[in-house]
Amino acid sequence: MRKITNDELHRPSVEEYASMGRIPVTVVADIRSAQNVGAFFRTCDAFAVEHLALCGITAVPPSREIHKTALGAEVSVAWSRHASTAECLAGLKARGYR
């Protein structure tokens, strides 16, 4: 059994994906497992989420464990690192998020 390529899946390239519209949602994650972080990246990629905020002890790319689960989505999803969830939420609120 062979791995199907992105071309065969008709998946846009990273450049094409970057120019596509996003839903105006920021996902805030404060999780321990690097594999779960990769799953968050994949989910945000699938739903065209605007931004993923990684907080606290959450693992960040580059990471072999994240890449293994994210399958490249850590490259196509905009993300940022925050020292704490409280700091992240305060910053989002200051920018008008509810």
Side-chain angles (χ1 to χ4, degrees), residues 27-95:
V27 173
V28 177
D30 191 344
I31 50 181
R32 187 174 299 273
S33 166
Q35 288 85 9
N36 286 343
V37 175
F40 267 80
F41 271 104
R42 276 200 3 242
T43 301
C44 289
D45 179 72
F47 286 95
V49 167
E50 186 174 66
H51 193 85
L52 174 60
L54 304 174
C55 305
I57 63 168
T58 304
V60 296
S63 162
R64 185 175 150 243
E65 292 81 17
I66 291 173
H67 181 70
K68 183 177 180 180
T69 310
L71 301 174
E74 74 277 19
V75 176
S76 61
V77 173
W79 63 276
S80 58
R81 168 81 175 93
H82 303 272
S84 71
T85 302
E87 173 224 309
C88 176
L89 295 176
L92 289 171
K93 187 173 182 179
R95 292 185 3 227

